[in-house]
């Protein structure tokens, strides 16, 4: 099995933009569990199994 793509190495500008977006979203005033559910849904829409798994675990850890 091929190793996962290192996104930070392959597209550092994109990773930087995602980190900035995350900071902005965290400052929005929405509750953390709701934000994780939004991330789960976005991951479903994007068809990213890795992200679905990650955000589902984060949501459960946050009480959802």
């Amino acid at each position: 099995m091929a190793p996962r793509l290192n996104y930070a190495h392959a597209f550092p500008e994109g990773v930087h933009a995602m980190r900035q977006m995350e900071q902005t979203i965290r400052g929005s005033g929405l509750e953390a569990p709701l934000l994780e559910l939004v991330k789960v849904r976005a991951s479903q829409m994007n068809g990213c199994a890795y992200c679905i798994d990650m955000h589902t675990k984060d949501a459960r850890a946050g009480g959802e």
Side-chain angles (χ1 to χ4, degrees):
M1 176 182 265
R4 292 192 188 273
L5 176 66
N6 182 337
Y7 294 106
H9 179 72
F11 189 42
E13 298 87 0
V15 172
H16 177 71
M18 286 183 65
R19 287 184 179 145
Q20 286 182 314
M21 181 178 64
E22 179 69 22
Q23 287 178 338
T24 302
I25 291 170
R26 285 185 183 189
S28 70
L30 295 174
E31 300 87 12
L34 175 59
L35 293 175
E36 282 305 324
L37 292 176
V38 170
K39 291 175 188 178
V40 169
R41 182 60 185 135
S43 300
Q44 290 171 333
M45 293 170 66
N46 289 327
C48 182
Y50 175 81
C51 293
I52 292 169
D53 180 61
M54 175 180 58
H55 293 304
T56 300
K57 287 177 182 174
D58 290 345
R60 286 182 179 155
E64 287 301 312

